[in-house]
Each structure stands twice: as C-alpha cells, then as structure tokens.
C-alpha cells in the first residue's frame, strides 16, 4: 500500500472493519482496544515490532496493556481466527482456490518458549534452536493470505507435563505430527465450507499415504510432492503469504513464550495481513474495471500448472 494520507485512511478503515468481525469475542473494552492497537502497530512501518514499540505507536505509557492482551486476559484465539477466516472467504472466496500447507521456523534463544528445541528450520535451511509453526494458506488469483496456524510441539515438550504447564500448554494437549496438524486444518476448512479446488503441500506432508487416501476418498483434488527431491510448482503460494506476513505484519516479530500467546499473536498478525491482502485485491479489481472495455465480459478461471 502507498504511504500517503488517503492510503493510511484506507487501511485504517479496513483494519477497523476486520476488527469489527471479532470484537464481540472480548468481554472487556481494554483487550478490544488493545487488539486493534496491536494490529495497527503490526502494519505500521516500524523497524522493530515488540511490546514497547507497539505500545509507543498506540500512545501507551508502556507495554503493559499489550502484554496483558497477549498473555493474561482470557479470550479465544481460535474463535477470532474463525472470524478472520470468514472475512477472507467473504472477500477473496473462490471455488478455484488452492489450500497450501507448509511450516516455517521462528528462531529463538533459550528453552522456555513453547515448543522450542533444536530442530530443522526451513527458514534457516538448517537445524537451529527454534519454534516451528504449521500454516494453511488460501491462494487465489486475487490474493494469498493465511487462514490457519498451529504451533508444533515436539515430544521433548509433550512428554514433560510440568514443562508444558509452565508454558501454558494444557494437559489435554497431546503430541501431534505436523501431518496430523495439516489434516486438522484442512478438515476445519472443509467443515467451515471454505471454497477451494485443490490442496497442495511439499514432500514433508505428501509422503503420508494415509492423508493422500483420505483426500481421495473425500474427492478433494490434491498435488503433493512425495520425495525430498520433488518440487511442488504451486509452492510460491505459501512462501509468499508467510514471507509477506513476516515482512509487513510482524508475523515473526513477537515476544511471547507461552502457548496461548503464540496463537494470539499469530492470529492478530494474520488478521492484519488479510486486511492488506483484501485491499490489494480491491485495487486489482478497480484497475481491471478501469481497463476493461465497458462491453466486454470476462470470466475468471483458476490456472494450474502440473
């Protein structure tokens, strides 16, 4: 988006519209206001997007309100995510869309952040001390954004109940493979009637014959890489929204250690990114309307490569 006053007003107004989708999920005014201020800060052109800088951008005396909203005040990030996903579908929904599964690493220091351990990070391209998030992207010709997320918890965490409790991980949370997380996210999208035509993932997920069989039984088109040397030509669709959400909306610029805080930050960052994606889609629509002859009729059809 551009940087002039009209653009600022445009994205600020749309951000309020996104916020309006889930404002009822907060029972108190402070977290309602803090969530909107947080998203505004995530979109703002700040060099660093931490509690102090976001609080300063919001005009707060310190980061206390931001920290309470992420870590202490009760609200359900999954319910908010449901509202954000519906916003994406209402504005970008396309029966020819692609659901793309992939994971990304978040480098961390220490051992206290939920799910952190030395593990392979696709972001770094090597084994690092990091958290790994599994994401589901929604890709259409008009825009690409993220609609689901889960924090991967290795067995070094799930086998240690006391360590989990200290990080806000409930006793009911059991170990899940990344493939199991991917299955759950796609099932959720289907249950929520998210319109799409294809599911795609790389070899880390495509090796699961069970999941491929499940998709076939559900009559869901899918394209999966099946060996580590294969490539998926639609891979850019997940890399683009994760990368742009990191660059534009502080997806990886967070200071939370606890399990609920991670999901809350990710949800609000994804909401901010969805807002920008929808605004860009509208710009494309406007540009197309201005260049198309008045008498012409066009029909959008998804384009796939194989």
């Amino acid at each position: 988006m551009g940087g002039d006053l009209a653009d600022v007003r445009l994205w600020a107004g749309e951000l309020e519209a996104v916020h309006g989708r889930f404002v009822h999920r907060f029972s108190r005014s402070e977290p309602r206001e803090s969530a909107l201020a947080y998203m505004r800060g995530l979109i703002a052109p700040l060099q660093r997007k931490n509690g102090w800088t976001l609080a300063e951008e919001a005009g707060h005396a310190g980061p206390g309100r931001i920290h309470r909203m992420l870590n202490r005040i009760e609200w359900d990030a999954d319910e908010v995510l449901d509202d954000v996903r519906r916003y994406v579908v209402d504005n970008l929904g396309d029966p020819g869309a692609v659901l793309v599964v992939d994971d990304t690493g978040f480098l961390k220091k220490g051992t206290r952040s939920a799910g952190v351990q030395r593990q392979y990070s696709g972001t770094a391209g090597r084994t690092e001390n990091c958290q790994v998030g599994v994401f589901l992207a929604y890709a259409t010709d008009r825009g690409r954004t993220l609609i689901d997320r889960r924090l991967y918890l290795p067995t070094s965490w799930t086998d240690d109940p006391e360590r989990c409790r200290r990080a806000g991980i409930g006793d009911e949370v059991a170990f899940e493979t990344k493939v199991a997380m991917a299955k759950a996210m796609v099932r959720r999208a289907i249950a929520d009637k998210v319109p799409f035509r294809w599911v795609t993932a790389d070899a880390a997920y495509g090796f699961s014959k069970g999941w491929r069989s499940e998709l076939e039984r559900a009559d869901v088109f899918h394209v999966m890489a099946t060996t580590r040397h294969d490539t998926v030509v639609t891979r850019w669709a997940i890399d683009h929204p994760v990368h742009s959400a990191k660059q534009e909306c502080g997806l990886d610029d967070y200071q939370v250690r606890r399990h609920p805080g991670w999901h809350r930050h990710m949800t609000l960052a994804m909401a901010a990114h969805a807002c920008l994606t929808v605004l860009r889609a509208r710009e494309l629509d406007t540009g197309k309307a201005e260049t198309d002859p008045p008498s012409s009729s066009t029909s959008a059809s998804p384009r796939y490569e194989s």
Side-chain angles (χ1 to χ4, degrees):
M1 304 299 295
D4 60 26
L5 183 59
D7 285 333
V8 170
R9 288 174 175 167
L10 184 63
W11 67 251
E14 189 63 24
L15 203 60
E16 290 179 0
V18 177
H19 180 251
R21 293 286 188 121
F22 58 80
V23 69
H24 63 288
R25 304 295 187 182
F26 300 94
S27 60
R28 295 170 49 195
S29 61
E30 180 183 310
R32 286 197 295 266
E33 295 166 359
S34 295
L36 180 57
Y38 193 74
M39 291 190 295
R40 285 172 175 161
L42 290 176
I43 291 179
L46 303 174
Q47 185 172 4
R48 292 282 295 170
K49 297 177 181 179
N50 55 44
W52 280 100
T53 59
L54 295 178
E56 183 178 39
E57 179 72 13
H60 300 169
R65 291 179 62 179
I66 296 294
H67 288 168
R68 284 195 297 273
M69 185 268 297
L70 290 175
N71 297 301
R72 293 173 55 189
I73 296 174
E74 287 298 320
W75 57 280
D76 193 321
D78 286 342
E79 291 180 348
V80 171
L81 183 65
D82 289 342
D83 299 323
V84 173
R85 183 164 47 247
R86 181 50 50 190
Y87 166 81
V88 171
V89 170
D90 287 348
N91 288 278
L92 298 175
D94 183 346
V98 183
L99 297 182
V100 195
V101 177
D102 204 358
D103 53 73
T104 189
F106 302 91
L107 302 184
K108 290 293 171 183
K109 296 180 180 178
T111 60
R112 295 173 59 189
S113 296
V116 71
Q117 74 167 20
R118 286 190 60 78
Q119 54 192 321
Y120 181 76
S121 166
T123 307
R126 59 183 181 274
T127 298
E128 290 281 0
N129 194 63
C130 65
Q131 296 170 301
V132 173
V134 182
F135 290 85
L136 184 66
Y138 190 70
T140 76
D141 286 343
R142 296 176 62 239
R144 305 159 194 88
T145 193
L146 302 171
I147 61 170
D148 210 342
R149 76 291 175 265
R150 298 196 177 196
L151 178 62
Y152 173 67
L153 299 174
T155 54
S156 62
W157 279 84
T158 55
D159 289 349
D160 189 340
E162 182 55 36
R163 187 186 190 193
C164 284
R165 291 187 193 110
R166 289 196 299 269
I169 303 168
D171 292 342
E172 75 283 358
V173 178
F175 172 75
E176 280 190 300
T177 66
K178 295 170 190 173
V179 171
M181 291 181 169
K183 287 182 183 180
M185 290 192 290
V186 172
R187 288 171 185 158
R188 186 175 184 178
I190 293 172
D192 287 352
K193 301 188 184 329
V194 174
F196 71 94
R197 183 169 177 80
W198 294 87
V199 173
T200 188
D202 67 11
Y205 301 88
F207 81 92
S208 173
K209 293 182 179 179
W211 189 26
R212 298 202 305 272
S213 296
E214 178 180 327
L215 292 171
E216 288 169 5
R217 290 193 300 271
D219 200 25
V220 173
F221 294 122
H222 55 280
V223 179
M224 306 280 186
T226 56
T227 75
R228 62 177 302 197
H229 299 294
D230 286 341
T231 59
V232 179
V233 297
T234 54
R235 181 173 176 84
W236 57 269
I238 182 75
D239 285 345
H240 179 275
V242 168
H243 177 73
S244 63
K246 287 181 177 181
Q247 292 294 314
E248 298 178 331
C249 304
L251 190 77
D252 61 344
D253 208 355
Y254 56 91
Q255 293 180 313
V256 291
R257 290 196 177 102
R258 291 169 59 82
H259 191 252
W262 187 91
H263 287 87
R264 291 174 175 184
H265 164 81
M266 292 299 164
T267 300
L268 294 177
M270 289 163 59
H273 187 261
C275 169
L276 294 183
T277 303
V278 167
L279 287 175
R280 290 186 178 115
R282 289 176 186 165
E283 286 183 348
L284 289 174
D285 293 343
T286 301
K288 187 176 187 305
E290 290 175 349
T291 56
D292 281 347
S295 60
S296 68
S297 62
T298 61
S299 60
S301 59
R303 296 188 299 274
Y304 302 105
E305 300 176 17
S306 59

